[in-house]
Amino acid sequence: MNVLVTGGAGYIGSHAVKRLREAGHRVVVIDNLFRGHRAALASAKDVVFEQLDLRQTQPIADLLRRHQVECVMHFGALAYVGESVTEPLRYFDNNTGGTISLLAAMKDAGVKKIVFSSTCATYGQPPSMPIVETMPQSPINPYGWSKLFVERILKDVAGSDPEFCFAALRYFNVAGCAADGSIGEDHTPETHLIPVILQTALGQRPEVTILGDDYPTPDGTCVRDYIHVEDLVDAHAVVMAALRPGEQRIYNLGIGKGYSVKQVIESARRVTGCPIPAKIGPRRPGDPPELYANPQKIRQELNWQAKYTNIDDVVATAWNWFKQNPRGYPKR
Ligand code: UDP
């Protein structure tokens, strides 16, 4: 299939490009390179890359036509919860407005299939765990709203065109790096737990700050569902293959099990053999105590489930990347 990957130079997008190429798809990438890395596509010589912003509707429509794109995988987005609270307009402009522009380009070019990166942040603070897809969605930050608005827009676009189809995949905590070490994770600023822990193991940070140890969880620290990035992009490929005209598919993508911050730090100590100093700090505003998925819907409907279920295996793939690329990708 001819697939456009938006945000294809980013962490998840670049892993999706790798997965799609390995499956024999023809891949076209757009990325504005605001936070993406051209070097993340260095080995993908056959991939068409254009530095475009999602809001450049007409150039995207032309690109879709030129390459006879049949499906869009839409990863391009800003994805820091804290930043979304201080700069909400930027999040709505990029994530919601950017997707409206992308959908307009698709309409213009007659492309009717999209797999969209949604998030468990659209659920907000659910009343119980694990989270099932039918639970109410009530985000607690602009990032979650910017993605929930897109889910709503996709439903209405689908309602206006019987051939349009979409999947909204609600990610839990995406982690790890390509098992072959070829691509990885490089964010600036870095705030995600596993990279922060591994940068501490490398001596680039003096310690990890555990953001609160007084949560109502077994060890007092927050619990999250860490899904390996290669499992996550594999699910995208499976969903894309299953998606038929007129369908709307919504799935949680998680492993169905949560690990606490302390458990993740312990895991990294085992995997790296480094002491990794940690101290307790204050809670981060907007952090729900526990988030983990019920992943049964995609398992039942598409016979798909995550292969990585042990946190040590996830951390080991990230450690492999961080050890070999302590400063991340070469910078432009
Ligand atoms: N966390 C932490 N110290 C850090 C970074 C994160 O204790 O330096 C915690 C954070 O409070 C959350 C969990 O680790 O409970 C995962 O955070 P991350 O930012 O990786 O993902 P999020 O759950 O916010 O999407």
Side-chain angles (χ1 to χ4, degrees), residues 79-81 119-121 143 172-174 185 190-197 205 207-212 215 221-226 259-262 264-265 279 282-284 286-289 291:
Y80 291 112
V81 167
T119 167
C120 66
Y143 170 66
F172 283 68
N173 286 57
V174 188
E185 182 167 18
E190 187 54 82
T191 60
H192 296 102
L193 181 63
I194 292 174
V196 164
I197 292 172
R205 296 171 187 256
E207 65 209 350
V208 179
T209 304
I210 297 172
L211 300 171
Y215 284 99
T221 67
C222 287
V223 170
R224 295 287 182 271
D225 182 330
Y226 294 90
Y259 289 96
S260 73
V261 174
K262 281 187 178 167
V264 177
I265 294 171
K279 68 166 189 198
R283 291 182 177 195
R284 183 166 68 183
D287 266 349
L291 289 173

Side-chain angles (χ1 to χ4, degrees), residues 65-302:
R65 271 202 198 84
R66 203 157 59 244
H67 296 284
Q68 298 176 354
V69 168
E70 298 157 274
C71 178
V72 174
M73 278 199 189
H74 179 28
F75 299 95
L78 298 174
Y80 291 112
V81 167
E83 186 178 69
S84 81
V85 175
T86 52
E87 298 183 72
L89 293 178
R90 209 165 137 208
Y91 273 68
F92 291 121
D93 184 20
N94 265 273
N95 296 0
T96 315
T99 306
I100 292 171
S101 163
L102 175 67
L103 288 166
M106 288 172 63
K107 186 175 165 65
D108 190 303
V111 180
K112 292 173 184 278
K113 188 189 264 207
I114 181 167
V115 179
F116 170 62
S117 303
S118 190
T119 167
C120 66
T122 60
Y123 294 110
Q125 285 182 317
S128 63
M129 289 294 138
I131 299 176
V132 289
E133 289 85 347
T134 48
M135 278 182 174
Q137 288 173 288
S138 183
I140 55 170
N141 52 60
Y143 170 66
W145 279 113
S146 75
K147 293 280 186 171
L148 183 55
F149 288 149
V150 172
E151 287 198 12
R152 178 70 248 171
I153 291 163
L154 287 169
K155 286 188 183 124
D156 288 337
V157 171
S160 74
D161 179 350
E163 285 176 19
F164 184 88
C165 56
F166 75 88
L169 304 181
R170 298 179 184 154
Y171 305 170
F172 283 68
N173 286 57
V174 188
C177 299
D180 66 8
S182 61
I183 51 173
E185 182 167 18
D186 177 0
H187 299 113
T188 308
E190 187 54 82
T191 60
H192 296 102
L193 181 63
I194 292 174
V196 164
I197 292 172
L198 297 181
Q199 288 174 350
T200 308
L202 286 169
Q204 296 173 358
R205 296 171 187 256
E207 65 209 350
V208 179
T209 304
I210 297 172
L211 300 171
D213 72 341
D214 56 352
Y215 284 99
T217 59
D219 67 16
T221 67
C222 287
V223 170
R224 295 287 182 271
D225 182 330
Y226 294 90
I227 178 169
H228 194 277
V229 65
E230 290 194 314
D231 277 333
L232 185 99
V233 298
D234 186 56
H236 284 66
V238 168
V239 169
M240 180 177 81
L243 202 53
R244 296 280 168 269
E247 283 186 344
Q248 303 181 16
R249 292 178 178 265
I250 292 179
Y251 298 114
N252 285 338
L253 293 183
I255 66 168
K257 182 163 74 170
Y259 289 96
S260 73
V261 174
K262 281 187 178 167
Q263 286 176 317
V264 177
I265 294 171
E266 280 307 324
S267 165
R269 287 177 178 145
R270 281 191 297 274
V271 168
T272 64
C274 300
I276 311 181
K279 68 166 189 198
I280 308 297
R283 291 182 177 195
R284 183 166 68 183
D287 266 349
E290 265 192 322
L291 289 173
Y292 56 93
N294 177 331
Q296 290 311 316
K297 188 174 179 224
I298 190 165
R299 184 174 177 180
Q300 280 158 7
E301 293 189 5
L302 298 178

